[in-house]
Each structure stands twice: as C-alpha cells, then as structure tokens.
Amino acid sequence: MFPIPENIYTVLKDTIKSNDLVQTVHAFHNKRIHFTYCKAIVDQNLIHNEILHRIQISRTEIDNLLSLQNLIPIENIKLSSDMDEISQGLLKGFIYVQLEPDLHEGLLINIADLKRGYRSNNEADNEYSVIGPKVGFVEDLDTNLNLLRKEIISDSLRFEEHIVGSVSQTRVTIVYMDGICNPQHINTVRQRIVDADDDVLFDSSILDQIITDNANSPFPLFMSSERVDRAKFNLINGQVVILSSGSPYFISGPTTVFDFFASPEDYYLPWILSSFFRCIRYLGVAFSILASPSYVAVLTFHYSVIPQSLLGPIIESRANVPFAPFLEVLLLEFTVELLREAGARLPNKVGQTLGIVGGIVLGEAAVQASLTSNILIIIVSFSALSSFATPIFKMANTIRFLRFPLIVLAAAWGGARHNDWNCAYFRPFIEIEIVGYSLFCSLVPISFP
C-alpha cells in the first residue's frame, strides 16, 4: 500500500484517462473539501442532497474524516488510502472525499446510479402466458434479487455473489434453497464460476456457454428464462439459479429435456388440461423434426408406403418440379428460416407484415413456378408452426436446427439402402433410424456430471 499523493486527481487522470473523471473543491465552515468521482456513473442527486446539502446545513464543526462520515446518511462508506482501491471504487460509482489539510486519506462513498438506463417495465413479453403472473426480470441484479426474496419468504433462500470478467467486473449471483438443493450441484456451479476466465460477461447466456458441460452440443444444457415464477418453481424443485447484472434472463440447472417443454401456465390449469397441452407440445416437436426428413425418405426411395388415394395428388403436384425431394425440401426450409430471421430482426409491425406477405407471396410464386409442390409447402408450414409450441426459445432453436441434419441423413441413408441392397426388404429401417436418432437426441438427460 502506497500513500496517496497530495493531488490525487492528477494521478488518477493519468490512470483512468477519461473525461468523465472530475474533481471539485468546496469550502464549508472554513474547511476545504475535495470531491473526486466519475460523473457518468454516479447519482448527482445523492451528491447534492445527501452530501453537499448535509454538510452545508450542519452546525457541528468538521474537524476530521470521522465527523464528516457521521454527517452523511449513506450506508456504504469506508476510509481508504490505497490507490488501487480508490481507482476501482471510482470506476464502480464511488466518490472520494478528502478533507484539507490532510489529503493522504479520504472517504470512499458509494453513490452509484444503479437505476439509470434500466427499463422499469418488467413484463415477461417473450414468454407470455394467458393465466398466471406476468412479472419478469429486468437488467438490474438488485431488482431481480428483490423480486425473488419477495416471492420466496424463507430463511432457506441463499444468495451467493461472485465477480466475473476481468474487464467488465460483472456481478453474478448464485441462488439456491438450502436443504433442498443438492450441495454437489452448488459446489459444481460455484467452482465453474470461480474458474471462469473471460474478459467481459455480456449476458447470462455467455455464462451458460462458459460453465456448460459440452459446448458443442446443440441442446441447451441450462434452462434460460425471464419469468420470476419459473425461477421460483426451479428453486423449489432443487435447481440452482444463476443471475448476472445487465441481463434480464436467468439460467438454472441441472435440467432434463422435459423441463424445456413445461410451461409455467401448466401449473395454473387443471392437471388433465395441462397434461393434454404438454402432450400436444411433444407431438408438435416430433412432427416438426420428422416431417421434412420423412418426406425426403418416402418420396425418394419408398413410394410404396404411400396410400394409393394419396399417391395421385403427390405425383400431380410434383409432375413439373425439376428438383429432387432433397433439394426441394432444403430450398423451402431455407426460405422459411430466412423469413423467420428477417421478421425477428425487423421492427414488430414491419416484421409481421414481412412474415405474412412474404410467406404467401413466395409460397404462391414457388408453386406457380413449379419450384416446389403444394404438399411440401403444407408440411413445411406445419413443421414451422409446430416448432413455435416450445415454451423455451433456446430449445425451439435446437428443434429448428435438428431438421437439417436429419434431412441429409434421410437422403444419405436411404440412398445407401437403395443402391446396395433390396430396397423393399430394408424399407422400414430408414424410418426406424430417423425416429431412433431423433428420440435419442431428444431424450438424453442434461445435467451436471
């Protein structure tokens, strides 16, 4: 620890090198007081109302820093003369106060503006539910912890804070229920967060990728959500919830794939209805993954499995299509994904118009130009619609992705059977392989080691 110089502002200006670092000097009761702070991240009202105004109206003599500290009604105040501690404090929203003539130490006072720049509306717009609460998390970590503490009034609720990011210094909080959560899971999460080596933590999803078991898996290994009630359910069920400052989403684990298809709305409906709707989601996911690959496998190598009543319309719709089913499906699936991405990146009203008009115009034009068949447009449309039934956005992205390798596998494996052996004998195996591969990918448990 080195003693601070007489003019700390000059030294800090060379260290921080930022125009928002300012120093002001005020005289009160024949005493000169130096105030040094970064004006971009402090609350100016606290400076004027809780510091300057309190000192100005005080009738007691300010002889030392202890008497000055007693005048300021702010909780987080500490005496410091360490240059590193002072520099880090100023960057976090502290103000450094020095009293002449002794300028070799001063008071670090926390006056950070924690609310400015954050949204006040905390409705869960991205995970909407008709029944139940609409409250979601925001980008302020303290507000999110407050929401959890109000929802779970129990002395078993534990908050454990860590700092991640050598540059961003992001606050990360581990939340769990003591006595319910497995201590091994808590230790695993704690160790991975402590060992996280990253410069900047932009969002909790980045933390998800840092502490995950397998970064190459297309499946989300942690649940990500913005709903407070979902975080409450996960905590009560023994999961570990992780929140970070600057992110309205939390991640929780360990999870299984079935957790990603459970909606918070299921708990607010009778069990019969909830079970029915959940089965609808499972069937929708299976159809979304298998519909296009089955179309490729059947129309390329297995016409005999098509009923005779349906064979005529299929042949008529594909009579003038110049592409093989494999290329036809890839072209249409790629077009649907482009429309979805373009609609998601544009403003809401423009994006909705693009999705509706673009889908109708392109679909009709593709059929008129004999680039695709009517039946495939219906299959791809239902497949895209089924993928939206998944409550968790990350799992919905995984379902969208799985269709493409399965389409390639349907064409490749079906071709191998057709060219090397009797196609009629091995006909059922192509469908069994596709279904088995999909079920294996979907039912694999996702948890900590």
Side-chain angles (χ1 to χ4, degrees):
M1 181 183 300
F2 299 97
I4 63 176
E6 289 289 337
N7 191 354
I8 188 175
Y9 174 74
T10 304
V11 178
L12 290 175
K13 194 68 175 176
D14 294 335
T15 303
I16 299 178
K17 296 181 180 180
S18 178
N19 291 331
D20 64 336
L21 178 68
V22 298
Q23 184 182 63
T24 60
V25 181
H26 298 270
F28 300 101
H29 308 290
N30 297 325
K31 294 287 186 178
R32 289 170 57 86
I33 305 178
H34 297 240
F35 300 91
T36 307
Y37 57 92
C38 292
K39 63 180 180 181
I41 55 176
V42 300
D43 190 343
Q44 298 287 341
N45 293 326
L46 287 178
I47 297 178
H48 294 93
N49 299 332
E50 302 298 339
I51 298 180
L52 296 179
H53 181 66
R54 295 280 182 173
I55 297 175
Q56 187 176 14
I57 65 176
S58 173
R59 297 182 180 180
T60 60
E61 189 69 21
I62 303 177
D63 297 327
N64 50 46
L65 292 175
L66 181 60
S67 61
L68 178 61
Q69 180 178 354
N70 294 331
L71 292 177
I72 302 174
I74 296 178
E75 179 181 0
N76 195 353
I77 302 177
K78 54 185 175 182
L79 187 67
S80 178
S81 59
D82 186 357
M83 283 296 300
D84 293 334
E85 184 180 23
I86 296 170
S87 177
Q88 290 295 320
L90 293 177
L91 294 176
K92 294 179 180 179
F94 284 74
I95 184 173
Y96 191 62
V97 182
Q98 298 170 284
L99 181 63
E100 289 188 359
D102 186 11
L103 298 177
H104 290 87
E105 62 179 356
L107 296 176
L108 273 175
I109 307 172
N110 187 5
I111 57 169
D113 191 351
L114 300 177
K115 303 298 181 182
R116 183 170 57 182
Y118 291 121
R119 57 189 172 99
S120 58
N121 180 20
N122 63 337
E123 292 187 4
D125 296 329
N126 295 328
E127 297 179 64
Y128 182 78
S129 63
V130 179
I131 304 174
K134 310 296 189 297
V135 181
F137 289 117
V138 295
E139 288 78 4
D140 181 43
L141 180 60
D142 293 322
T143 301
N144 297 337
L145 298 180
N146 175 267
L147 292 172
L148 282 179
R149 182 64 74 180
K150 288 192 298 186
E151 289 291 330
I152 304 178
I153 306 176
S154 172
D155 56 0
S156 299
L157 184 63
R158 300 285 188 268
F159 295 156
E160 184 178 317
E161 184 171 318
H162 299 271
I163 302 298
V164 178
S166 58
V167 176
S168 62
Q169 295 288 302
T170 305
R171 297 168 56 201
V172 176
T173 301
I174 303 173
V175 186
Y176 59 92
M177 296 291 292
D178 190 23
I180 299 179
C181 184
N182 190 334
Q184 183 179 357
H185 297 162
I186 302 172
N187 294 332
T188 302
V189 172
R190 182 188 299 117
Q191 186 62 41
R192 294 185 182 183
I193 290 179
V194 171
D195 295 340
D197 184 15
D198 207 53
D199 294 333
V200 179
L201 183 65
F202 296 100
D203 188 79
S204 60
S205 59
I206 303 297
L207 186 64
D208 182 352
Q209 301 177 44
I210 294 175
I211 67 176
T212 189
D213 291 332
N214 184 8
N216 297 323
S217 173
F219 291 92
L221 304 184
F222 286 90
M223 178 178 291
S224 178
S225 176
E226 64 175 346
R227 293 183 62 97
V228 177
D229 56 350
R230 189 183 285 274
K232 179 172 62 175
F233 294 148
N234 293 350
L235 287 171
I236 295 175
N237 289 331
Q239 295 186 12
V240 183
V241 171
I242 308 171
L243 300 105
S244 65
S245 59
S247 174
Y249 286 86
F250 72 88
I251 58 176
S252 64
T255 59
T256 62
V257 72
F258 298 103
D259 295 332
F260 294 91
F261 300 101
S263 172
E265 200 172 27
D266 295 343
Y267 298 96
Y268 308 129
L269 295 174
W271 70 271
I272 297 180
L273 297 178
S274 300
S275 301
F276 173 74
F277 293 142
R278 195 170 295 185
C279 291
I280 291 289
R281 297 189 199 109
Y282 293 146
L283 293 175
V285 170
F287 181 84
S288 178
I289 294 176
L290 299 178
S292 297
S294 300
Y295 178 88
V296 173
V298 169
L299 291 190
T300 306
F301 307 107
H302 307 289
Y303 273 104
S304 58
V305 302
I306 304 175
Q308 292 183 358
S309 59
L310 187 60
L311 189 59
I314 292 179
I315 295 176
E316 183 180 354
S317 65
R318 284 192 45 81
N320 298 319
V321 177
F323 303 113
F326 172 66
L327 296 178
E328 181 189 7
V329 170
L330 281 184
L331 176 64
L332 201 56
E333 288 283 1
F334 185 69
T335 303
V336 171
E337 293 302 324
L338 280 180
L339 285 173
R340 187 172 354 208
E341 285 296 314
R345 302 295 176 264
L346 291 173
N348 291 334
K349 295 182 179 179
V350 180
Q352 294 174 2
T353 304
L354 174 67
I356 297 173
V357 177
I360 295 175
V361 172
L362 288 179
E364 182 67 22
V367 173
Q368 293 295 330
S370 297
L371 296 178
T372 184
S373 62
N374 290 322
I375 294 179
L376 181 59
I377 288 183
I378 296 174
I379 292 176
V380 172
S381 300
F382 272 108
S383 179
L385 185 62
S386 300
S387 66
F388 290 126
T390 307
I392 302 298
F393 179 72
K394 287 187 175 181
M395 181 57 73
N397 288 339
T398 300
I399 294 171
R400 292 166 53 189
F401 167 77
L402 284 179
R403 288 201 295 267
F404 290 94
L406 288 179
I407 290 171
V408 176
L409 289 175
W413 290 356
R417 301 297 188 193
H418 178 72
N419 294 329
D420 298 338
W421 297 290
N422 184 0
C423 179
Y425 180 77
F426 289 99
R427 181 185 306 143
F429 289 95
I430 179 66
E431 287 80 16
I432 295 175
E433 287 168 341
I434 294 176
V435 175
Y437 180 83
S438 302
L439 291 178
F440 172 76
C441 293
S442 301
L443 299 182
V444 59
I446 303 171
S447 61
F448 299 130

